[in-house]
Amino acid sequence: MRAGDVRGVADAALAWVCEHRDDFALGDDALAESGNVNFTWKPIGELAHVCVTVRRHTEPSTPLHQRASDLLTFAWRQTGQGELLRRLQRLEPFATYPLEIYSAFASAGLRHDGFEQAAATVARTRSWQMTEQQPNRRLGILNSERHSGMRPHQGMERALERTWLGGLPEPWMFEGDAGYTLTHVIFHLTDWGAAPHHVPPQVADYLSQWLPPWLDTCLEDERWDLSCELLAVAGSLPGPPDRTMLRDAWTRLARAQAASGAVPEVGSGRDGRGGQTPRDDFIGCYHSTLMTAFAAVLTAGALHAHQGRTAHRGRTAHREQDGQRGRGVST
């Protein structure tokens, strides 16, 4: 599968997201004490992160870039241009998710001074810096602090050492929770695929060796959501992509994608006909569909970059051969 074919999968996925844009809208419960963050703020934050990545890896003239821009604008408006995040931060000053969501917008230049000032005040406290968190979450907070104009309270290298992936664990210990944990370690470490060179060589080598069998297992089990996250990791690593792995994986994912562009989290999709309500259908596939678009643009970008490097080396070798022939004639 070529880079253009993979982008076609991303186009279809983001088209579905556009069709279901209103399902991402924040309701009256977004600031309510009884509100469920997983069904309010989490989807809007994930939408923002994916759209920023899609914009970063596509040309402004392409429909994919334009869709991502429109969706990012929509998501920012949902937050009241950041004002609702400021209010949320005041209601839950030591919660980290408002900063993690805000950082996606800030990385695209969408900022709210009031939120940043309030968040920076809390971030200077000992309580914030010593909060006990999962190590992969700590990486995400450090990256969020950086995007939000703060000085990260800890080094990324030290935080990486505490993660499951940073310990280079026995590969046969891989399972679902470990899979989601390691994918987010790479997302935070590389700033959502923007900086593959931030992956230490020993971690990159480890993943290059073990990603193919892990991904194959997830694809065999029809765990499309985790498969897409693993593919996003593959697209975030330095070095040439594993073209055989990518060709097989994207062929299988393309088959799992419904005609609408939706991708189910697990199993075969019903293309909007399953579940009890339309909202149930949205919850069951919005994340995996977003991850499909996210992984696809990273994969296409990695393939395109490798092709460019290969072509450059070919031209360089050709010029060197011409020079040698020229020197031979003159001699």
Side-chain angles (χ1 to χ4, degrees):
M1 183 171 281
R2 297 167 300 178
D5 297 324
V6 176
R7 279 205 178 91
V9 176
D11 271 321
L14 218 57
W16 181 90
V17 174
C18 287
E19 287 293 322
H20 292 77
R21 189 183 72 171
D22 291 344
D23 288 315
F24 286 92
L26 293 173
D28 295 335
D29 57 342
L31 297 178
E33 186 176 352
S34 59
N36 190 329
V37 172
N38 289 328
F39 298 134
T40 54
W41 290 101
K42 184 173 179 285
I44 208 77
E46 290 166 343
L47 176 65
H49 273 298
V50 169
C51 287
V52 169
T53 301
V54 171
R55 280 167 34 116
R56 184 184 291 149
H57 288 85
T58 54
E59 293 296 327
S61 60
T62 63
L64 193 56
H65 186 100
Q66 292 166 4
R67 283 198 185 105
S69 295
D70 290 344
L71 287 167
L72 184 62
T73 299
F74 164 81
W76 184 235
R77 287 174 180 164
Q78 286 299 305
T79 72
Q81 285 76 42
E83 176 60 24
L84 290 184
L85 284 165
R86 185 193 67 83
R87 291 169 58 184
L88 183 65
Q89 196 275 337
R90 294 190 66 178
L91 290 170
E92 299 184 68
F94 289 97
T96 60
Y97 71 91
L99 179 67
E100 293 172 272
I101 293 168
Y102 175 80
S103 70
F105 296 108
S107 69
L110 302 171
R111 312 189 79 98
H112 188 285
D113 291 341
F115 175 87
E116 291 191 14
Q117 292 169 8
T121 298
V122 173
R124 287 193 292 268
T125 65
R126 291 188 299 275
S127 178
W128 175 272
Q129 296 178 24
M130 300 306 295
T131 297
E132 297 182 9
Q133 297 153 328
Q134 289 186 342
N136 70 307
R137 189 72 178 272
R138 177 76 69 178
L139 278 170
I141 293 165
L142 295 172
N143 197 40
S144 298
E145 288 174 342
R146 182 176 64 83
H147 275 304
S148 303
M150 306 175 194
R151 181 179 179 180
H153 68 272
Q154 184 179 334
M156 296 289 277
E157 298 82 3
R158 180 182 171 190
L160 173 63
E161 292 173 357
R162 299 284 310 279
T163 66
W164 185 85
L165 177 61
L168 305 181
E170 298 82 359
W172 55 87
M173 299 299 288
F174 175 88
E175 40 76 42
D177 287 343
Y180 280 110
T181 297
L182 80 86
T183 60
H184 283 73
V185 167
I186 295 299
F187 298 163
H188 302 318
L189 199 61
T190 65
D191 194 15
W192 301 88
H197 58 281
H198 285 173
V199 182
Q202 68 273 19
V203 174
D205 290 344
Y206 176 84
L207 288 172
S208 294
Q209 182 174 3
W210 294 111
L211 265 179
W214 291 343
L215 178 58
D216 185 65
T217 298
C218 292
L219 291 167
E220 187 69 26
D221 291 342
E222 297 185 335
R223 300 188 65 169
W224 309 118
D225 189 61
L226 182 52
S227 294
C228 285
E229 292 208 6
L230 292 173
L231 280 167
V233 168
S236 302
L237 296 179
D242 185 333
R243 301 181 71 89
T244 300
M245 178 189 73
L246 295 178
R247 181 171 57 249
D248 176 65
W250 281 107
T251 298
R252 292 156 84 171
L253 265 169
R255 291 172 184 161
Q257 188 175 41
S260 65
V263 176
E265 287 193 4
V266 295
S268 58
R270 299 185 182 181
D271 199 8
R273 294 188 291 274
Q276 298 177 353
T277 67
R279 180 67 179 175
D280 291 332
D281 295 330
F282 173 78
I283 293 300
C285 66
Y286 91 85
H287 186 265
S288 44
T289 305
L290 280 175
M291 288 299 102
T292 298
F294 178 59
V297 295
L298 289 176
T299 296
L303 290 171
H304 181 74
H306 178 62
Q307 289 169 353
R309 288 191 295 269
T310 301
H312 175 73
R313 286 196 296 268
R315 288 193 297 269
T316 300
H318 184 70
R319 285 196 296 268
E320 289 176 350
Q321 291 173 357
D322 285 346
Q324 291 170 357
R325 285 195 294 267
R327 286 193 295 272
V329 170
S330 63
T331 301

